[in-house]
Amino acid sequence: MPTEAPSPKQRSTAARARLLAAANELFYAEGIRAVGIDRVIEHAGVAKATLYSAFGNKEGLVRAYLEARHTATSERMQQELEARYRTPKERLVGVFEVQGLSFADPDFRGCAFISANADAPNVAAVEEASKDYRTWVHALFFDLAEQAGAKDPKQLAQQLVLLYDGSGISAWLDHDRSADNTARTVAAALVDAAIPDDL
Amino acid sequence: MPTEAPSPKQRSTAARARLLAAANELFYAEGIRAVGIDRVIEHAGVAKATLYSAFGNKEGLVRAYLEARHTATSERMQQELEARYRTPKERLVGVFEVQGLSFADPDFRGCAFISANADAPNVAAVEEASKDYRTWVHALFFDLAEQAGAKDPKQLAQQLVLLYDGSGISAWLDHDRSADNTARTVAAALVDAAIPDDL
DNA sequence: CCGACTCTAGACAGACCGGTCTGGTAAAGT
DNA sequence: ACTTTACCAGACCGGTCTGTCTAGAGTCGG
């Protein structure tokens, strides 16, 4: 029994969205290899053929899952940064506070792209989506560092990326809820040291 | 054709060692779930029954694989630190240089424990071995920080763990060979700031 | 009212998985 | 010389995986 009326003229969008939501929940919680197609379609309340007509094969679903996660993450980061902080310098440190929001989610299970690379290596969809995601992470810090007038924005960005990844690992594997705090403290010191405050 | 004479009175040690070596290569390179038992025994040149009599089941092999990796990593770290540096303060930063040695290995594929947690979650052997490994990582930094006379050794250790993990992630996912360098630079600054140099 | 379309439900095929079991070989211990 | 032990080779079992295919139900435009 599907939820509500399936609504007409939606073509594949409705089923596609539910499949994507199911894939997101299951893949993120249990891993890509560990979750079979049958689990996904059952959780989505959708027929198998619908999945294959919408995504081609499992790899297509994995690609869509990772791309959706990428856009959701980057959009949320951008919105939260704009809403919470004003200057690039503040936002550079604020990234870690926004990151910490996801740590508080009881369903947090670490970075989806790190996990995907570990449990489905040598899969084109994973490699490509991860490459895009990593590019975004670096650009996020680099652009802010540049806007903030850092002396060496590339170096500062690399340093902050280390903290960003490390914070996610500690929050995940060590169940350390204060990992974002630790990262933020160090980040603030690095930012202060790298940016000449002329105000 | 086995290598050399199988040698007598070795009981299960010879076959066990080859199984462990094969598991190490295959599991680390391709992931635990991705590698089947058949691949392992073929690579080790060993019969299936031998594997099951030596390790009980696949999970037993995984546990042994992770434990072996843990001891190899920690022993190498200890030896290199003792050989290269003298003071706890130097060793605190030197950890990142030793870590960088593994990044240079062409077979480097990131931290085995991070990968194992991603591709075989909810598996007791993985969870327990990872817990031990993470405890070791924290203790490594904490003990050195304490010996070096850090004002807040726990805090310093947590900060350095972030850099350690982050460095491994960047070296792996970004193929950034200078990740250890970046981490070392930041670590040196943190160590200098946290340890009152009274010499 | 009717074909075109989209969906569901589920059988099915082929591959691969972990794990067990049988049979044969060769050396060690007594 | 006989038994025991350790190992190899591989058939085999039940289960699960991805992906295809068939059959039917509901909905749309014309």
Side-chain angles (χ1 to χ4, degrees), chain B residues 178-198:
Chain B
S178 67
D180 58 321
N181 239 292
T182 304
R184 193 165 42 77
T185 302
V186 179
L190 290 175
V191 167
D192 280 336
I195 298 176
D197 42 5
D198 42 300

PDB file of all heavy atoms in Angstrom, chain B residues 178-198:
ATOM      1  N   SER B 178      51.804  14.789   0.200  1.00  0.00           N
ATOM      2  CA  SER B 178      52.387  15.721   1.175  1.00  0.00           C
ATOM      3  C   SER B 178      51.492  15.892   2.392  1.00  0.00           C
ATOM      4  O   SER B 178      51.697  16.788   3.209  1.00  0.00           O
ATOM      5  CB  SER B 178      52.623  17.080   0.512  1.00  0.00           C
ATOM      6  OG  SER B 178      51.394  17.681   0.184  1.00  0.00           O
ATOM      7  N   ALA B 179      50.514  15.026   2.521  1.00  0.00           N
ATOM      8  CA  ALA B 179      49.588  15.153   3.651  1.00  0.00           C
ATOM      9  C   ALA B 179      50.324  15.019   4.981  1.00  0.00           C
ATOM     10  O   ALA B 179      50.025  15.732   5.944  1.00  0.00           O
ATOM     11  CB  ALA B 179      48.481  14.104   3.546  1.00  0.00           C
ATOM     12  N   ASP B 180      51.294  14.115   5.020  1.00  0.00           N
ATOM     13  CA  ASP B 180      52.030  13.948   6.271  1.00  0.00           C
ATOM     14  C   ASP B 180      52.822  15.216   6.598  1.00  0.00           C
ATOM     15  O   ASP B 180      52.970  15.591   7.758  1.00  0.00           O
ATOM     16  CB  ASP B 180      52.966  12.743   6.173  1.00  0.00           C
ATOM     17  CG  ASP B 180      53.944  12.874   5.020  1.00  0.00           C
ATOM     18  OD1 ASP B 180      53.541  13.360   3.949  1.00  0.00           O
ATOM     19  OD2 ASP B 180      55.113  12.492   5.173  1.00  0.00           O
ATOM     20  N   ASN B 181      53.297  15.864   5.566  1.00  0.00           N
ATOM     21  CA  ASN B 181      54.022  17.118   5.773  1.00  0.00           C
ATOM     22  C   ASN B 181      53.126  18.205   6.355  1.00  0.00           C
ATOM     23  O   ASN B 181      53.503  18.888   7.306  1.00  0.00           O
ATOM     24  CB  ASN B 181      54.575  17.592   4.424  1.00  0.00           C
ATOM     25  CG  ASN B 181      56.075  17.734   4.458  1.00  0.00           C
ATOM     26  OD1 ASN B 181      56.586  18.606   5.140  1.00  0.00           O
ATOM     27  ND2 ASN B 181      56.768  16.848   3.766  1.00  0.00           N
ATOM     28  N   THR B 182      51.960  18.331   5.777  1.00  0.00           N
ATOM     29  CA  THR B 182      51.006  19.314   6.289  1.00  0.00           C
ATOM     30  C   THR B 182      50.674  19.020   7.749  1.00  0.00           C
ATOM     31  O   THR B 182      50.675  19.917   8.593  1.00  0.00           O
ATOM     32  CB  THR B 182      49.718  19.285   5.443  1.00  0.00           C
ATOM     33  OG1 THR B 182      50.053  19.499   4.072  1.00  0.00           O
ATOM     34  CG2 THR B 182      48.748  20.343   5.906  1.00  0.00           C
ATOM     35  N   ALA B 183      50.402  17.757   8.032  1.00  0.00           N
ATOM     36  CA  ALA B 183      50.054  17.377   9.399  1.00  0.00           C
ATOM     37  C   ALA B 183      51.215  17.669  10.345  1.00  0.00           C
ATOM     38  O   ALA B 183      51.021  18.164  11.465  1.00  0.00           O
ATOM     39  CB  ALA B 183      49.682  15.896   9.452  1.00  0.00           C
ATOM     40  N   ARG B 184      52.430  17.381   9.896  1.00  0.00           N
ATOM     41  CA  ARG B 184      53.590  17.584  10.751  1.00  0.00           C
ATOM     42  C   ARG B 184      53.782  19.061  11.095  1.00  0.00           C
ATOM     43  O   ARG B 184      54.112  19.421  12.225  1.00  0.00           O
ATOM     44  CB  ARG B 184      54.842  17.019  10.073  1.00  0.00           C
ATOM     45  CG  ARG B 184      56.036  16.887  10.982  1.00  0.00           C
ATOM     46  CD  ARG B 184      57.109  15.999  10.381  1.00  0.00           C
ATOM     47  NE  ARG B 184      57.314  16.247   8.965  1.00  0.00           N
ATOM     48  CZ  ARG B 184      57.980  17.282   8.475  1.00  0.00           C
ATOM     49  NH1 ARG B 184      58.506  18.177   9.286  1.00  0.00           N
ATOM     50  NH2 ARG B 184      58.108  17.431   7.170  1.00  0.00           N
ATOM     51  N   THR B 185      53.562  19.890  10.114  1.00  0.00           N
ATOM     52  CA  THR B 185      53.696  21.328  10.345  1.00  0.00           C
ATOM     53  C   THR B 185      52.718  21.803  11.417  1.00  0.00           C
ATOM     54  O   THR B 185      53.096  22.508  12.362  1.00  0.00           O
ATOM     55  CB  THR B 185      53.441  22.097   9.032  1.00  0.00           C
ATOM     56  OG1 THR B 185      54.362  21.638   8.040  1.00  0.00           O
ATOM     57  CG2 THR B 185      53.613  23.587   9.252  1.00  0.00           C
ATOM     58  N   VAL B 186      51.468  21.405  11.260  1.00  0.00           N
ATOM     59  CA  VAL B 186      50.461  21.817  12.229  1.00  0.00           C
ATOM     60  C   VAL B 186      50.767  21.199  13.588  1.00  0.00           C
ATOM     61  O   VAL B 186      50.661  21.857  14.629  1.00  0.00           O
ATOM     62  CB  VAL B 186      49.047  21.412  11.759  1.00  0.00           C
ATOM     63  CG1 VAL B 186      48.002  21.818  12.784  1.00  0.00           C
ATOM     64  CG2 VAL B 186      48.739  22.028  10.402  1.00  0.00           C
ATOM     65  N   ALA B 187      51.157  19.932  13.584  1.00  0.00           N
ATOM     66  CA  ALA B 187      51.457  19.249  14.850  1.00  0.00           C
ATOM     67  C   ALA B 187      52.579  19.960  15.591  1.00  0.00           C
ATOM     68  O   ALA B 187      52.521  20.131  16.817  1.00  0.00           O
ATOM     69  CB  ALA B 187      51.833  17.795  14.581  1.00  0.00           C
ATOM     70  N   ALA B 188      53.593  20.373  14.866  1.00  0.00           N
ATOM     71  CA  ALA B 188      54.719  21.062  15.510  1.00  0.00           C
ATOM     72  C   ALA B 188      54.250  22.335  16.198  1.00  0.00           C
ATOM     73  O   ALA B 188      54.676  22.645  17.319  1.00  0.00           O
ATOM     74  CB  ALA B 188      55.795  21.371  14.476  1.00  0.00           C
ATOM     75  N   ALA B 189      53.358  23.040  15.533  1.00  0.00           N
ATOM     76  CA  ALA B 189      52.850  24.278  16.132  1.00  0.00           C
ATOM     77  C   ALA B 189      52.036  23.970  17.385  1.00  0.00           C
ATOM     78  O   ALA B 189      52.172  24.653  18.412  1.00  0.00           O
ATOM     79  CB  ALA B 189      52.000  25.033  15.103  1.00  0.00           C
ATOM     80  N   LEU B 190      51.212  22.938  17.324  1.00  0.00           N
ATOM     81  CA  LEU B 190      50.386  22.577  18.475  1.00  0.00           C
ATOM     82  C   LEU B 190      51.253  22.123  19.641  1.00  0.00           C
ATOM     83  O   LEU B 190      51.017  22.485  20.796  1.00  0.00           O
ATOM     84  CB  LEU B 190      49.404  21.455  18.097  1.00  0.00           C
ATOM     85  CG  LEU B 190      48.280  21.836  17.139  1.00  0.00           C
ATOM     86  CD1 LEU B 190      47.469  20.589  16.763  1.00  0.00           C
ATOM     87  CD2 LEU B 190      47.373  22.888  17.769  1.00  0.00           C
ATOM     88  N   VAL B 191      52.256  21.318  19.330  1.00  0.00           N
ATOM     89  CA  VAL B 191      53.143  20.807  20.375  1.00  0.00           C
ATOM     90  C   VAL B 191      53.907  21.949  21.029  1.00  0.00           C
ATOM     91  O   VAL B 191      54.005  22.021  22.258  1.00  0.00           O
ATOM     92  CB  VAL B 191      54.105  19.756  19.774  1.00  0.00           C
ATOM     93  CG1 VAL B 191      55.238  19.452  20.738  1.00  0.00           C
ATOM     94  CG2 VAL B 191      53.346  18.487  19.420  1.00  0.00           C
ATOM     95  N   ASP B 192      54.422  22.844  20.220  1.00  0.00           N
ATOM     96  CA  ASP B 192      55.164  23.975  20.775  1.00  0.00           C
ATOM     97  C   ASP B 192      54.278  24.818  21.676  1.00  0.00           C
ATOM     98  O   ASP B 192      54.724  25.311  22.720  1.00  0.00           O
ATOM     99  CB  ASP B 192      55.728  24.834  19.634  1.00  0.00           C
ATOM    100  CG  ASP B 192      56.995  24.220  19.058  1.00  0.00           C
ATOM    101  OD1 ASP B 192      57.655  23.452  19.776  1.00  0.00           O
ATOM    102  OD2 ASP B 192      57.339  24.522  17.894  1.00  0.00           O
ATOM    103  N   ALA B 193      53.034  24.958  21.259  1.00  0.00           N
ATOM    104  CA  ALA B 193      52.137  25.805  22.037  1.00  0.00           C
ATOM    105  C   ALA B 193      51.715  25.127  23.334  1.00  0.00           C
ATOM    106  O   ALA B 193      51.466  25.801  24.335  1.00  0.00           O
ATOM    107  CB  ALA B 193      50.906  26.147  21.203  1.00  0.00           C
ATOM    108  N   ALA B 194      51.654  23.820  23.336  1.00  0.00           N
ATOM    109  CA  ALA B 194      51.109  23.099  24.490  1.00  0.00           C
ATOM    110  C   ALA B 194      52.172  22.687  25.498  1.00  0.00           C
ATOM    111  O   ALA B 194      51.836  22.300  26.618  1.00  0.00           O
ATOM    112  CB  ALA B 194      50.352  21.853  24.013  1.00  0.00           C
ATOM    113  N   ILE B 195      53.420  22.744  25.081  1.00  0.00           N
ATOM    114  CA  ILE B 195      54.489  22.295  25.973  1.00  0.00           C
ATOM    115  C   ILE B 195      55.416  23.448  26.315  1.00  0.00           C
ATOM    116  O   ILE B 195      56.063  24.009  25.434  1.00  0.00           O
ATOM    117  CB  ILE B 195      55.297  21.158  25.311  1.00  0.00           C
ATOM    118  CG1 ILE B 195      54.390  19.945  25.046  1.00  0.00           C
ATOM    119  CG2 ILE B 195      56.471  20.751  26.196  1.00  0.00           C
ATOM    120  CD1 ILE B 195      55.076  18.833  24.310  1.00  0.00           C
ATOM    121  N   PRO B 196      55.473  23.779  27.580  1.00  0.00           N
ATOM    122  CA  PRO B 196      56.369  24.848  28.012  1.00  0.00           C
ATOM    123  C   PRO B 196      57.823  24.402  27.876  1.00  0.00           C
ATOM    124  O   PRO B 196      58.249  23.476  28.554  1.00  0.00           O
ATOM    125  CB  PRO B 196      55.988  25.070  29.478  1.00  0.00           C
ATOM    126  CG  PRO B 196      55.361  23.789  29.904  1.00  0.00           C
ATOM    127  CD  PRO B 196      54.729  23.205  28.691  1.00  0.00           C
ATOM    128  N   ASP B 197      58.546  25.010  26.950  1.00  0.00           N
ATOM    129  CA  ASP B 197      59.937  24.610  26.767  1.00  0.00           C
ATOM    130  C   ASP B 197      60.823  25.327  27.774  1.00  0.00           C
ATOM    131  O   ASP B 197      61.087  26.518  27.649  1.00  0.00           O
ATOM    132  CB  ASP B 197      60.402  24.869  25.346  1.00  0.00           C
ATOM    133  CG  ASP B 197      59.931  26.202  24.814  1.00  0.00           C
ATOM    134  OD1 ASP B 197      59.319  26.970  25.617  1.00  0.00           O
ATOM    135  OD2 ASP B 197      60.174  26.507  23.671  1.00  0.00           O
ATOM    136  N   ASP B 198      61.260  24.554  28.755  1.00  0.00           N
ATOM    137  CA  ASP B 198      62.082  25.129  29.813  1.00  0.00           C
ATOM    138  C   ASP B 198      63.498  24.591  29.735  1.00  0.00           C
ATOM    139  O   ASP B 198      64.060  24.118  30.723  1.00  0.00           O
ATOM    140  CB  ASP B 198      61.459  24.823  31.183  1.00  0.00           C
ATOM    141  CG  ASP B 198      60.952  23.398  31.249  1.00  0.00           C
ATOM    142  OD1 ASP B 198      60.091  23.068  30.433  1.00  0.00           O
ATOM    143  OD2 ASP B 198      61.418  22.622  32.088  1.00  0.00           O
TER     144      ASP B 198
END
